Amino acid sequence: MEQPTTVTITGAGGQIGYALLFRIAAGEMLGPDRPVRLRLLEIPQGLTAAEGAALELQDCAFPLLDGVEITDDPVTGFDGANIAMLVGARPRGPGMERADLLAANAGIFGPQGAAIAAAAASDVRVVVVGNPANTNALIAAASAQGVPADRFSALTRLDHNRAVGQLAEMLDARADEIERMVIWGNHSATQFADVSSAAFRDVPVIDALAERLGGATEAVAWLDDTFLPRVAKRGAEIIEVRGSSSVASAANAALEHVRDEQRGTPWTSAAVVSRGEYGVPEGLVCSFPVTSDGSGYRVLEGIDLDERGRALFDRSVAELVSERDTVRALGVL
Ligand code: NAX
């Protein structure tokens, strides 16, 4: 058995935290050979909910669970962390402008980035789930002096999985028969869910859709009018139908993001710090097609985007630039 891996989860007393903790402790994220030590980082108001979850974790008697600690101090929370999952964030309140939201979250992710730099293990990897996830990750990375920027990522795996789910339903397929889906850009309504590289049983998805829907024109119309808006607005659809935001699917996506980064994957989508790939300004945390050999996500380069796809991607990148500029104007970066 390996040494325990320390996993810090912020906002662990919240809904996604509750859906995530038990699956991590059961070994679903890091595998059956890696014991885990859980650190639950909350704000004072969230501590009792985290304590309740910790009692239940104890009652599960998970063989891989090497301990649970709860704190509201970021430096204690990230002490020795190998993996940090930043879930807790400030939600948009009534009448709150986007700049206010970015500023409020900068007040969370700046200090957390600094605490990661001060206390986390030298191999720490960080994923930001709390929204606005891409720009929160940018702020955390910029505040974590001495920690390489490529250790930071943000979650777009839920968007990726939502897109795969929609395609699987339309093609009467299992999700694992859909390969090479790509989410480009921001985790927001401007994201671009791109099927142009995707395949279904080794047939281009676009051809499989044309066969299913009776022609290429019908396939393109379905993609533009139904698929793209549905994936981009799926969060709102879940709230409307369920009466509450996505929780289990978000926790599942966060778990798969870390699992694939740590254990390897040939292809998925994740928001990572741009090094200029696909012309995206350096330093932005942008969703790309990525691969991992177990040592971190790397952008898959050389994927063709047609003119229309490029325009959609550029629109989302422009939003990321504007978020970054807003945060810069606040003096955070
Ligand atoms: P909850 O409101 O249920 O839980 C958030 C928890 O974070 C609370 O317990 C709160 O006390 C804690 N918290 C707040 N500030 C904190 C801080 N500074 N340090 C530590 N903990 C802090 O929200 P939940 O449904 O769990 O969602 C969490 C976040 O995920 C939200 O920002 C949400 O917008 C975001 N999402 C991101 C998704 C993605 O794909 N990137 C999808 C799902 C979700 O919408």
Side-chain angles (χ1 to χ4, degrees):
M1 204 53 104
E2 292 183 32
Q3 283 298 308
T5 300
T6 299
V7 181
T8 300
I9 297 151
T10 75
Q15 301 190 83
I16 293 176
Y18 191 72
L20 192 55
L21 292 170
F22 298 85
R23 293 187 61 189
I24 298 173
E28 283 184 60
M29 187 165 81
L30 300 177
D33 302 322
R34 273 172 81 178
V36 282
R37 239 174 233 160
L38 292 176
R39 278 288 164 61
L40 317 188
L41 176 61
E42 261 292 350
I43 49 176
Q45 307 89 289
L47 283 174
T48 50
E51 278 159 15
L55 295 180
E56 283 202 70
L57 281 165
Q58 189 178 32
D59 294 348
C60 292
F62 287 118
L64 289 170
L65 186 57
D66 196 73
V68 182
E69 289 162 80
I70 304 162
T71 179
D72 61 1
D73 173 53
V75 174
T76 310
F78 292 116
D79 186 26
N82 307 105
I83 297 171
M85 303 176 78
L86 310 189
V87 180
R90 174 75 194 276
R92 191 187 285 258
M96 209 172 179
E97 298 291 333
R98 201 173 60 127
D100 301 332
L101 182 72
L102 288 165
N105 278 292
I108 294 174
F109 288 86
Q112 287 186 354
I116 287 168
S122 58
D123 65 351
V124 68
R125 292 201 171 273
V126 184
V127 58
V128 175
V129 177
N131 281 318
N134 300 52
T135 298
N136 288 341
L138 172 84
I139 293 165
S143 310
Q145 289 210 351
V147 182
D150 65 5
R151 302 295 182 76
F152 288 81
S153 60
L155 190 72
T156 51
R157 182 61 174 268
L158 180 56
D159 309 296
H160 179 105
N161 287 349
R162 284 168 170 167
V164 168
Q166 291 303 312
L167 293 173
E169 187 187 29
M170 177 48 85
L171 295 171
D172 216 357
R174 282 196 328 266
D176 68 350
E177 293 177 300
I178 310 284
E179 294 174 293
R180 302 197 290 280
M181 181 65 219
V182 181
I183 303 292
W184 301 97
N186 200 0
H187 168 68
S188 79
T190 67
Q191 65 178 258
F192 172 38
D194 178 16
V195 305
S196 60
S197 303
F200 164 56
R201 294 182 194 151
D202 293 330
V203 173
V205 153
I206 188 77
D207 294 348
L209 287 171
E211 189 169 327
R212 179 90 189 169
L213 292 162
T217 313
E218 287 77 2
V220 170
W222 179 78
L223 285 169
D224 285 353
D225 302 340
T226 306
F227 172 79
L228 282 181
R230 194 164 193 203
V231 172
K233 295 183 195 149
R234 185 67 157 183
E237 182 183 347
I238 300 288
I239 291 173
E240 196 183 312
V241 177
R242 205 175 91 84
S244 161
S245 60
S246 315
V247 174
S249 55
N252 179 67
L255 181 143
E256 290 186 344
H257 174 108
V258 174
R259 180 197 67 195
D260 288 353
E261 185 179 25
Q262 295 274 328
R263 294 161 74 187
T265 182
W267 183 307
T268 186
S269 302
V272 298
V273 179
S274 169
R275 291 193 291 187
E277 296 94 339
Y278 295 95
V280 174
E282 270 182 52
L284 288 185
V285 178
C286 180
S287 186
F288 293 106
V290 294
T291 186
S292 172
D293 60 5
S295 65
Y297 284 130
R298 192 169 53 74
V299 175
L300 283 161
E301 297 194 73
I303 291 162
D304 283 333
L305 278 154
D306 62 17
E307 205 178 312
R308 195 178 141 275
R310 186 69 232 191
L312 290 170
F313 182 23
D314 286 346
R315 184 183 61 146
S316 198
V317 172
E319 184 181 53
L320 287 171
V321 168
S322 134
E323 290 184 10
R324 180 201 59 194
D325 290 349
T326 304
V327 170
R328 264 194 192 151
L330 294 166
V332 175
L333 293 178

